[in-house]
Structures are given as structure tokens and as C-alpha cells.
Amino acid sequence: MHEMSYVVRVVNLALKKCEEEDIKKVESLTVRIGQMVGVEPFYMEKYYKQAIAGTLLEGSSIRCELIPVKVRCDGCGNEYHPDAGNDYLCPQCGSGAAKLLQGREFVLEEIRASV
Amino acid sequence: MSEVRIIDLKANVLEDNEVLAAKTRERLKNENTFLLNLMSAPGSGKTTTLTRLIETLKDEMKIAVMEADIDSDVDTKRILEAGAASVQLHTGGMCHLDADMTCQGLDSLPSKDYDLVVLENVGNLVCPAEFDTGSSKNAMILSVPEGDDKPLKYPLMFQVADAVIINKIDVMPYFDFDLEKAKKNIEMRHPGIPVFPICAKTGEGVKELADWLRSEIKNA
Ligand SMILES: Nc1nc2c(ncn2[C@@H]2O[C@H](COP(=O)(O)OP(=O)(O)O)[C@@H](O)[C@H]2O)c(=O)[nH]1
Ligand SMILES: [Mg+2]
Ligand SMILES: [Zn+2]
């Protein structure tokens, strides 16, 4: 899937921040990923190792926290997690129209630097 | 030593792409060029639909197609034969296009020479929905063999689309596809979105689709 594309974006963003913050060595990055994005942490970690070779991030690790998809039903206001189990429909009123509350984000949460 | 400094960032990883996409939309506006991003699963009929649209619209406007789907050399030929310009975008095996790749394609045309540019996105219903390409409008094709419940399974694609084309209506009798159910499922995901049932093979329904596109271009 599109893990490689996200890894490249995360690495570039982290390198830019390291330069701004004058960081020379990094222990780990933490990213928060909405489940709607559909990336697998296993592949994120695998591609991360490849992408950081030869950069100042070399030797660091990436921690992926997955954020479940949550929506608010347009029909009745109920907040629920759409999934295959409820056919992506509101379990309270059956409507499929809803506003996304969380689950699409892809955030570089923090950099843990060694000093 | 092993002291740790934590930099709290909370930075949106897609921000670069979103900024470039917004810039691209601005640029297209200045050039008076309309960019349609066409998405679907592989084989739903993107290229066939495009050849029909080109035949219908080519006397009114200058059209170019950017081919990003696999088999794009074959598709490029079909587009040229239909009467539009065509370039191939090199996605390097990527499952979607982003604003950067789209911009490179627009530069190579160059886009200012055209009234309508269509991006035939990579055949995939998940990843292309994630990345804003900078397009003026997005359309997606749902073909009959894929089933009338597809809008339930791929909510994001139907949310980012501005129009849904239901293609291959000629084979409806052979599939358990209920057009009214499909429309209801689409409406549920995206209230008010226009839906165009077509048969790209014969051209049935393409006129209504072309009318929609023409009016979107006029109002862009
Ligand atoms: N029966 C039928 N087949 C179609 C129709 N439109 C396209 N096809 C066929 O579907 C296949 C894939 O079409 P193509 O336009 O290449 O799809 P793309 O991969 O999305 O660009 C081809 O064999 C087309 O001839 C249609 O309206 N009806
Ligand atoms: Mg094609
Ligand atoms: Zn409800």
C-alpha cells in the first residue's frame, strides 16, 4: 500500500525539524495515524529503516499509534465506530450519513532526541 | 549521555501536499484550465469513458489527458486516437498521485495550453482518495460488476468525489446490481452528489455527463 509514500514524508519533515531545532541524534519518532488512512505499522517500521539509512535519523525507531475511526451520525447524533461489523452504518438509526470526527489524521507527534 | 529531549510537534504530515494542492488550484484558475481528477478501481472504464467525453467535447475545447494508471502506454494511444493530447506520468509504482506529481504533469503539457486536463489516476479506490492532487473537481467511476454496495465499503472515495459515474450499465442484467440501491448508498455517503449511469461502450448517458462537466468548467 502507500506506507513508503508516508514514510518519505515523515522522514523529510523530521529532518527539517531536526535542522531547525539543531538536533544531532534522534532516539525515536512518534506518529499518530488514523485507521482510515489504512497503513500497517509493520510496513511503516520496515520502510522507515530503509528510508533513514545515511541520514541523521539512522539508528532511530518509529512508533506508530493508531487512532480508531469515529463519526457522528447526521441522523441521530450518535457517535460510533464504523466498521464491517455494522456495515459502516449507524447502529442506532441505520443511517450512513455522518461527519468524521477522527481517523483520517497523519501526525508527526513528537521527536525524542538524545542530547 | 542518555538524556532525552522531547520535541512536541503535532505536525500534519500531509501539510506540504495540501499547501501545494491549494497552490495548484490557484494556478489552474489563473490559466483558465480545469483539472478533473478521475478515479476508479482498475478496469472500471476510466479510459473508455474519457474517449467518449473527448469525442463529445473536442470541438468546443482543448483537452489533454495525464495518464497515471498502469498500462498507460496503451491508454495514451487510445486517448490520442480519440483526439486529445496525452502525457504519461511516472508514478514509480506508487498507488496514488500526489500534488507534486500532478504539478510535474501540468508543467510538461503545459496546462495553460488547454481548457480541460483530465488526470486518469491510479486504479485504486483507497489511496487516491487520501491525497489532494490540486484538481478542480474529482469524479469517480463505479462499474456494475463491482456491486451496488461499494459506497458502503469505500466511504472516503465517495466523500471526496464531486460526481459518481456508474459505468457498464449494459451488463446490469447479468449482475445482481440494483441501480436504485446503488444510488441510495451513494446518496447516503454524499448527500446531493450527481450520479451518471452510463455505458461507455456504446456512449449511452455520456451526454448528461458531458453536460455536467461543461457546466462545472464554465462555473470554475
Ligand atoms: N460491457 C462494458 N464494458 C466496458 C464498458 N466500458 C469499458 N468497458 C470495458 O472494460 C475494460 C476496462 O476499460 P478501461 O476503459 O480500459 O478501464 P480503466 O482501466 O479504468 O481505464 C475494457 O475491456 C473495456 O472495453 C461498458 O460500458 N460496458
Ligand atoms: Mg485506463
Ligand atoms: Zn444514527
Side-chain angles (χ1 to χ4, degrees), chain B residues 134-148:
Chain B
S135 61
S136 316
K137 291 283 164 173
N138 299 316
M140 64 112 17
I141 302 178
L142 163 65
S143 69
V144 164
E146 295 167 59
D148 51 30

Side-chain angles (χ1 to χ4, degrees), chain A residues 1-2 5-6 9-10 13 16-17 21 23 27 36-37 87-89 94-98 104 106-115, chain B residues 1-14 16-17 94-96 98 126-127 129-131 152-153 155-156 159-160 188-189:
Chain A
M1 277 302 191
H2 46 254
S5 158
Y6 278 106
R9 285 168 203 274
V10 169
L13 186 58
K16 200 171 110 199
K17 293 291 170 190
E21 301 281 338
I23 291 166
E27 265 188 16
M36 211 162 172
V37 179
D87 266 343
Y88 304 90
L89 302 175
S95 169
R104 255 197 94 178
F106 202 114
V107 176
L108 175 53
E109 188 73 13
E110 63 174 39
I111 298 176
R112 293 172 78 91
S114 336
V115 284
Chain B
M1 283 299 293
S2 61
E3 221 172 298
V4 172
R5 179 176 154 215
I6 296 174
I7 321 288
D8 194 16
L9 287 168
K10 300 199 173 35
N12 175 8
V13 173
L14 286 187
D16 280 4
N17 190 63
M94 211 78 108
C95 47
H96 62 271
D98 60 13
V126 182
C127 320
E130 300 272 338
F131 291 85
L152 301 179
K153 296 178 189 153
L156 186 59
Q159 275 159 23
V160 302
M188 200 150 68
R189 283 298 171 226

Side-chain angles (χ1 to χ4, degrees), chain B residues 32-51:
Chain B
N32 261 319
T33 303
F34 187 93
L35 176 63
L36 179 72
N37 174 24
L38 184 60
M39 301 177 281
S40 84
S44 297
K46 292 183 294 300
T47 308
T48 312
T49 302
L50 281 177
T51 59

Side-chain angles (χ1 to χ4, degrees), chain B residues 40 42-48 50 67 69-72 74-76 78-79 120-121:
Chain B
S40 84
S44 297
K46 292 183 294 300
T47 308
T48 312
L50 281 177
E67 280 296 340
D69 207 1
I70 11 186
D71 269 343
S72 55
V74 181
D75 287 354
T76 300
R78 292 166 65 193
I79 296 297
E120 181 172 340
N121 212 315

